Amino acid sequence: MIDGLLILLLFQFLGEVLIHLTGLPLPAPVVGMILLLFALMLGAPGMDKVSEAAGALIRHITLLIFPLGVGIVLQWHRYQDNALALAVSVVFGTLIALVLVTLLLKVLLRRSSHGGGGGDSHHG
Amino acid sequence: MAELLHTPLFGLLLTLASYRFAQWAYAKSNSLALFHPFIVAAIPVIIVLPLVGVPYEEYRDQTALISFLLGPATVALAWPLYRQLHTVRSVWRPLLITVVIGAALASGLAVGLAWWLGAPETVVGSLAPKSITTPIAIEVARVTNGDVSLAAGAVAITGIVGALAAGPVFRLLRVEDDRIRGFALGLVAHAIGTARAFEFSEKAGAFGGLALGLTGLLTALALPWIWPWVSSLMG
């Protein structure tokens, strides 16, 4: 657990260092995540120790986030002028995106599974 | 005595107790999306804080330790991403195309609709990362001049809408492929969608986790570069 936490904090710190050196407009934890992904893919020793701590943090993401989320209610006076825009954007935006992404996957995966050149598929 | 309300101990106790209660309620409801821990855990906090006279800003400072862990939690996403990259080698090309188009759609629709309805830039910027997993969304919202608490709320509601709509949408579109169900859910509705995908099957869940990781990564990489341009369009 401690080893895993140490690895995660180290890679977040490396992300921070890289951003300071390069001036990239990216969040440090995201850069840390990419660096860790590379380390894992390259088979760096000891990296699998991250498993336990990573699992615990990801499993309890709701705990980490809801103290920030309750702000939407407790500071509602700041957002009530935009209630309609918020509701439409979040609800309809999500529904439309879900439908479009599902349709896109249907088309792309059907084409790729027929890609072997059989029967009724036409390459376009 | 009353000064105890103004220590981190109070905020942390309230937060952990609310979360524990929410987990219990979610299990009792058989994982009903409406009883998602995010919604239920918020309720005691929303009731207690005004009751004892602790302003939200102070509570946010009291729980800074918890919010800090969102950083390492984001780094931690490398682990499931790494584990799942191997299981989907054969279909990586259509999946990658879908992530690029889908992430742009999910963010673009949210931004476009809010802007069209006249929301100010802070609100629009908070909605841009609404389809990606919270720890990354928080970081991206900072880049798009959004408000982290509004962004966190928008992310959670997006996840819940996606999880609730998944059943009817997939039935309507006649989708029975668990790769599609999982990937679409993870892409549009991040962690909450992925949890819903696991209810379809293990395979759907794995594709959900992969989509969640890739969408978060791509959005976090692209938005900071694209945002100044979007922002100038909104003028």
Side-chain angles (χ1 to χ4, degrees):
Chain A
M1 185 72 180
I2 295 297
D3 284 343
L5 206 55
L6 195 61
I7 293 172
L8 294 175
L9 288 172
L10 175 70
F11 274 87
Q12 188 178 346
F13 183 74
L14 288 176
E16 205 80 67
V17 170
L18 199 74
I19 284 168
H20 270 279
L21 291 178
T22 58
L24 285 169
L26 294 175
V30 173
V31 177
M33 168 185 157
I34 299 169
L35 293 174
L36 178 57
L37 186 62
F38 280 140
L40 287 165
M41 288 166 78
L42 294 172
M47 283 298 132
D48 53 332
K49 288 199 175 129
V50 84
S51 153
E52 197 186 335
L57 282 173
I58 293 170
R59 207 162 39 246
H60 296 294
I61 262 178
T62 300
L63 168 65
L64 308 186
I65 192 56
F66 88 87
L68 291 175
V70 295
I72 201 174
V73 174
L74 290 167
Q75 299 187 305
W76 182 242
H77 56 95
R78 288 175 56 192
Y79 311 120
Q80 60 190 6
D81 292 342
N82 308 113
L84 178 73
L86 281 170
V88 169
S89 168
V90 174
V91 177
F92 288 98
T94 303
L95 287 176
I96 300 169
L98 183 63
V99 169
L100 292 178
V101 167
T102 304
L103 288 175
L104 180 65
L105 273 168
K106 241 183 131 168
V107 172
L108 289 177
L109 281 179
R110 186 184 300 146
R111 181 171 300 177
S112 91
S113 62
H114 289 194
D120 54 49
S121 99
H122 297 277
H123 293 274
Chain B
M1 268 309 274
E3 64 267 21
L4 279 175
L5 293 172
H6 303 287
T7 62
L9 184 60
F10 170 73
L12 292 173
L13 257 176
L14 176 62
T15 303
L16 269 173
S18 301
Y19 178 63
R20 207 64 198 82
F21 165 69
Q23 279 188 316
W24 173 81
Y26 192 50
K28 276 274 167 204
S29 77
N30 282 321
S31 305
L32 203 66
L34 267 180
F35 281 83
H36 190 273
F38 182 90
I39 298 180
V40 178
I43 296 170
V45 177
I46 289 164
I47 293 172
V48 169
L49 287 186
L51 223 55
V52 297
V54 173
Y56 170 68
E57 288 83 357
E58 191 181 341
Y59 168 73
R60 197 181 49 200
D61 291 344
Q62 289 177 348
T63 51
L65 179 66
I66 291 178
S67 309
F68 170 79
L69 289 174
L70 282 168
T74 305
V75 181
L77 291 173
W79 179 250
L81 201 52
Y82 165 70
R83 300 258 301 173
Q84 280 149 31
L85 279 178
H86 297 262
T87 65
V88 287
R89 279 244 158 95
S90 57
V91 283
W92 67 270
R93 206 190 298 261
L95 294 186
L96 216 57
I97 296 171
T98 306
V99 166
V100 173
I101 299 176
L105 263 174
S107 181
L109 278 166
V111 167
L113 285 169
W115 179 61
W116 177 59
L117 290 165
E121 200 191 329
T122 325
V123 171
V124 179
S126 309
L127 293 173
K130 80 172 191 37
S131 274
I132 61 179
T133 189
T134 319
I136 305 183
I138 297 283
E139 300 293 336
V140 173
R142 289 187 221 277
V143 179
T144 57
N145 302 316
D147 178 285
V148 290
S149 108
L150 182 56
V155 169
I157 298 166
T158 296
I160 289 157
V161 170
L164 284 176
V169 165
F170 295 150
R171 222 171 302 129
L172 218 67
L173 300 177
R174 294 201 185 83
V175 176
E176 272 142 32
D177 187 337
D178 274 343
R179 297 175 304 174
I180 297 180
R181 296 203 270 208
F183 204 79
L185 266 167
L187 197 163
V188 174
H190 52 86
I192 301 177
T194 300
R196 177 76 184 83
F198 270 109
E199 291 169 19
F200 287 111
S201 73
E202 185 79 33
K203 190 181 189 184
F207 273 76
L210 181 75
L212 168 154
L214 290 177
T215 309
L217 192 57
L218 183 76
T219 310
L221 291 177
L223 262 185
W225 303 95
I226 296 173
W227 193 255
W229 176 76
V230 175
S231 165
S232 74
L233 270 185
M234 291 192 290

